[in-house]
Amino acid sequence: MAQVLEFKLPDLGEGLTEAEIVRWLVEIGDVVAIDQPVVEVETAKAMVEVPCPYGGVVTARFGEEGTELPVGAPLITVAVGERAPSGSEGSAVEGSAAEGSGNVLVGYGTSEAPARRRRVRQERRDAPAPAVNGRAGVPEAEDGPLPVISPLVRRLARQNGLDLRELTGSGPEGLILRADVEYALRAAPRPAETAAPAPRPTTTAAPGEIRTPLKGMRGAVADKLSRSRREIPDATCWVDADATELMRARTAMNTAGGPKISLLALLARICTAALARFPELNSTVDAQAREVVQFDHVHLGFAAQTDRGLVVPVVRGAHARDAESLTAEFARLTEAGRTGKLTPGELTGGTFTLNNYGVFGVDGSTPIINHPEAAMLGVGRIVPKPWVHEGELAVRQVVQLSLTFDHRVCDGGTAGGFLRYVADCVEQPAVLLRTL
């Protein structure tokens, strides 16, 4: 006899609370295999195909395309062990609840089915479950892995009735830190306010107005930029540099045969070399512990404008890549951003960001730091300008470089030294070669 199982929208591994249905990949009556993608959703970070942990016949779908669902809401129901409809491949659908994939809650299917156990601490077995966001009885244990490793963080959340699944961590790889929990507790409404949560205000556009909800990726960007401005005491310094020799070096490299090298890749090589000399800027601030955390690796984010808005993909291990490898990875991530295929893991964990806003035809900017990083290098357009070169007035290819940095991690001398080194490498690429 068939068993009908309900598959709910999982937390896609980044503590996200909702997702929008973009496209259904199955119809009611379709036969699905274990870990087969059944729906494409858009989160605040990326487009994700969600695989179903059960094999069977789809008996129901919940939500039309364009509908926004909270994590935990039903997506589909699957009849496991149901005979396939006439005309389908196979005479029966094999599978059971025990055969379901164990990793769907982090957004990816698996070929194995590890057992999933709910963990409940001994100290809570005899105690009433606290109310979490107005809901009593939510257990501390989660159905899938959470990006949190500190038992102190878990205990702090548990003691205050805070559901860790509703937080987005500010640490590396989205790790939930103690500061994130305490920030959420400070921002939480008072108990009296949670008795009857106020509905979202509804507004009607006045004549001549167009109102667009700040949700999805646009909402996530707004929240992150606001948090950066609120929490980071940033400062910006800038310098003009003669990029003529850098452009000549790139031309020479690309006429020598082999894969073409992008300008962004050369700028990235300069960034990683500069960070090796000024590691204070490759860091983050743990406000709760009052510590600056430096990294021994560079996960380089780069700003990319797409049809879905601004995204900042991350090149992992940029410090260990050559210009050819960086060029290929920039191209791959940029294409994934344009097609909406960036995964949450490719959009998090950066330690420093390179922002080439010169592609928009502007000379300079004071960019907002990509929280929780400590600095961002901005690069304007490279244009012919009058420049004194070797004592003579000449027309040279000039670029404005700007560095926005967290003044808590270093003083202006360090930031100025970093920016000056970057400018020297742009003006004389041989400087970079001497330091490699």
Side-chain angles (χ1 to χ4, degrees), residues 19-264:
E20 180 179 325
I21 296 174
V22 176
R23 182 167 59 101
W24 282 106
L25 305 178
V26 296
E27 302 287 343
I28 295 175
D30 283 357
V31 177
V32 295
I34 293 174
D35 287 347
Q36 176 181 333
V38 294
V39 65
E40 184 178 47
V41 301
E42 180 179 16
T43 72
K45 295 181 180 293
M47 300 273 278
V48 180
E49 288 187 350
V50 182
C52 179
Y54 313 122
V57 176
V58 177
T59 57
R61 299 188 320 191
F62 300 92
E64 300 296 325
E65 294 178 355
T67 302
E68 195 171 80
L69 297 178
V71 168
L75 270 179
I76 64 172
T77 56
V78 177
V80 177
E82 180 67 77
R83 300 192 66 83
S86 177
S88 299
E89 293 185 8
S91 59
V93 178
E94 301 294 335
S96 69
E99 294 177 81
S101 166
N103 273 355
V104 173
L105 286 185
V106 293
Y108 303 96
T110 66
S111 59
E112 299 180 28
R116 292 165 55 190
R117 301 175 182 172
R118 301 182 69 85
R119 301 186 306 275
V120 181
R121 292 186 183 273
Q122 181 69 34
E123 63 196 67
R124 298 192 62 211
R125 288 178 179 169
D126 298 326
V132 180
N133 297 327
R135 294 176 289 124
V138 176
E140 175 213 5
E142 64 280 354
D143 284 333
L146 276 174
V148 55
I149 59 176
S150 170
L152 294 177
V153 171
R154 290 182 179 273
R155 184 171 62 189
L156 181 63
R158 183 176 70 253
Q159 290 174 343
N160 290 276
L162 182 66
D163 191 346
L164 287 171
R165 292 169 296 185
E166 298 186 359
L167 299 187
T168 299
S170 62
E173 308 292 340
L175 184 68
I176 297 176
L177 307 175
R178 181 174 179 176
D180 299 318
V181 173
E182 293 184 338
Y183 177 80
L185 294 176
R186 289 195 300 270
R190 297 294 183 264
E193 297 172 336
T194 61
R200 293 183 180 180
T202 56
T203 55
T204 303
E209 290 182 347
I210 298 176
R211 290 179 175 262
T212 304
L214 276 175
K215 66 177 185 177
M217 179 171 288
R218 187 69 257 166
V221 170
D223 292 342
K224 192 162 192 176
L225 295 180
S226 297
R227 183 176 185 183
S228 180
R229 273 287 190 245
R230 184 171 60 248
E231 297 183 9
I232 299 178
D234 60 348
T236 302
C237 53
W238 58 88
V239 65
D240 289 341
D242 179 0
T244 306
E245 297 305 321
L246 180 67
M247 300 301 287
R248 286 176 178 170
R250 176 175 176 248
T251 299
M253 295 171 71
N254 287 340
T255 56
K260 301 298 183 183
I261 304 300
S262 69
L263 177 61
L264 190 62

Side-chain angles (χ1 to χ4, degrees), residues 254-343:
N254 287 340
T255 56
K260 301 298 183 183
I261 304 300
S262 69
L263 177 61
L264 190 62
L266 294 181
L267 292 170
R269 292 290 289 116
I270 292 173
C271 274
T272 57
L275 289 172
R277 294 173 66 94
F278 300 92
E280 298 92 335
L281 294 165
N282 189 47
S283 64
T284 189
V285 173
D286 184 339
Q288 179 62 33
R290 295 185 64 82
E291 294 174 343
V292 176
V293 183
Q294 280 188 23
F295 303 107
D296 62 358
H297 56 270
V298 179
H299 293 337
L300 185 67
F302 67 100
Q305 193 70 38
T306 72
D307 292 340
R308 298 176 61 241
L310 177 69
V311 294
V312 185
V314 176
V315 177
R316 306 275 169 181
H319 62 290
R321 295 176 181 263
D322 59 17
E324 182 178 325
S325 173
L326 286 167
T327 297
E329 187 67 354
F330 281 134
R332 184 187 73 81
L333 291 171
T334 298
E335 180 60 24
R338 286 174 180 161
T339 58
K341 298 299 182 183
L342 286 168
T343 66

Side-chain angles (χ1 to χ4, degrees), residues 341-352:
K341 298 299 182 183
L342 286 168
T343 66
E346 291 170 333
L347 289 165
T348 56
T351 63
F352 185 92

